Amino acid sequence: MRPLLRPTRLAALLLGLGFLAQAQAETLPAVVDKVLLQQPSVRSAQALLRAAEAQITQARSDFLPSVGLSYRNADSRDETQGRPLDRNIRRSDASLRWNLFNGGADTARLQAGSLNRDAADADLDNVLEQVSYEITENYTDIVRLRHTVGSLAATLERQERVEANVAKRVEAGRISPAELDLMRVRLIQNRTILGQLRAQLGTAEYRYRLLTGQAPEQLETPAIRPADGDTDIDALVERIHERNPRLRAALQRAAARQAEIGVARGSFFPAVDLSYSKRLDNTTIPVPVSDTDRSGQVQVSFDIPLGGKNLGRHTEAVERHQAAQADADDLMLKVSKDITDLQRQYNEARQIAPLLEQRVASAQRVSTAYELHFEAGRRSLNDLSITQDDLFNAQRALIENRAQQTTLQAQLLGLAGELRSALRTRYRAAPIAPELLGTTYVSPALAAAPVPTVDAAPAPQVELVTPPASPADVGEPALRARLEAWLVAWSARDYDAYRAFYVADFKPGKGRSTAQWEAERRQRLADAKSPSLRIEGLRLKARGAGRYSTLFMQHYSAGNYRDTVRKQLDWLKVDGQWKIAGETVLAAPAKAD
């Protein structure tokens, strides 16, 4: 049964789209800067800010007097002493009206307008931060899914390789056909997961097109460097309470509602208006008996409001202020809760990250070791399949952890109104090593070899120094490979791989049992800090059919501990595989035979 799309080709396609040409990859800050102001929500917030500024202009105009000009041109028919008379009147007047006092309503209205403008400005900041986070989340999600798809494609490639090996064994009659069915079940399960991931990736890429107006061709793994105040929860809460745009807008609106109470209170006071009117021109044809040609008048008026309308307006303003203040208090509680939850999740994600890299490295060693064991007939196909799936799950957990750190940090920075500035000053690319993603093939011959990680301590070093090969050496290349793999398993502190190099009933000597030796070695491997091994002067001696001894000088270091000893390993061939049957530390370096 052949897959519809070979994972090998799929992995190459994904590498071509997302993992290659990193120098030309579009960075997250560049994407945010390019498309931020194009978003409809940002344009809407900008329009509301301009509307709030226009309201301030309206409020300021109430402090200025109003000027009136009137012109009258009328034709009329009058009757004087019983005789009709056609009359034409042309009259022009000017007036000036100025409010001298209205209980401070104009001042309160101007203050409310200024506070509403500040709230609209905070709303714009909040929208900009939200859109920046939305772009960050979508960008990170695409990178996460591409990495996950690539890792799963690599897992499928390894499983197809095993499937081909199993098919050959079934054809040769060495194993049951049920083993091939088991392998195919695993492949179908992972291909189903691959299809689901590809569907999610397609949705994320379509969302990216909607946000940016372009296809996400080449993206890099984003990260934001933590600042000193990001780890102190108390300082972070205080900073976000001061700078959170949404909370700032709510507090400004509550203050504006309080200013509107002053507007309502002004209606309880009498309004004092000063008015001046002047007749500029008056022409009446024919001339009446009596009329006003020129006049000037100054008037001061007091308007005293009555009824319950103003009382109701004041009550409404008070209640609206209380509601706005309650909304601001509720938002502060919600923001505080969100900060605490996000900060704890972010700290946990950062702390677990190194362990997840170790998990991937360990899972890779176990998977490749089990592949060797399966070849040697020491592990079942089910064991091998489980380790391969465990490796993908470890890689997936690492990928999701990297994405989670970025999105959680972006949320916290967005709450503080600092995401845009952080993208400009603290952004960095943080690619995941191909070895950790599984997109770089690791030969089973180095089953226990440590995998290099990003931003982690260097992997243990193993150096094998040998003199020119002798005729005895040339006859046993497999033994040399086994010795090298034993050194690597030891330096990698992989007890299971290390124990597999010894015969089942290994006798450590000095009166110790096999169980005591196993417990001692397990503990020492676990406690070793960055172990490093180097051997030199390797010599091989044939001891008979299926038996060899290796002698060498061993240099070992772990943490502050150092030692150099001469060691002899006695090898025995068991079921076609070289095993250590004896291990002796010699008192002094032996002379050459």
Side-chain angles (χ1 to χ4, degrees), residues 68 94-98 274-278 295-299:
S95 64
L96 177 68
R97 184 180 180 87
W98 198 353
L274 173 65
S275 60
Y276 174 75
S277 59
K278 181 177 179 61
S295 68
Q297 179 180 344
V298 176
Q299 178 180 343

Side-chain angles (χ1 to χ4, degrees), residues 461-465 487 532-536 553-556:
Q461 299 294 321
V462 177
E463 181 180 354
L464 184 61
V465 181
L487 290 169
S532 176
L533 279 163
R534 181 173 60 88
I535 69 173
E536 61 183 3
M553 189 71 70
Q554 173 183 293
H555 303 277
Y556 175 81

Side-chain angles (χ1 to χ4, degrees), residues 182-202:
L182 172 63
M183 199 66 237
R184 287 173 175 170
V185 167
R186 299 283 187 183
L187 283 168
I188 292 172
Q189 289 176 345
N190 284 336
R191 285 173 186 148
T192 302
I193 297 174
L194 180 62
Q196 295 171 351
L197 290 171
R198 288 167 57 192
Q200 295 174 19
L201 178 58

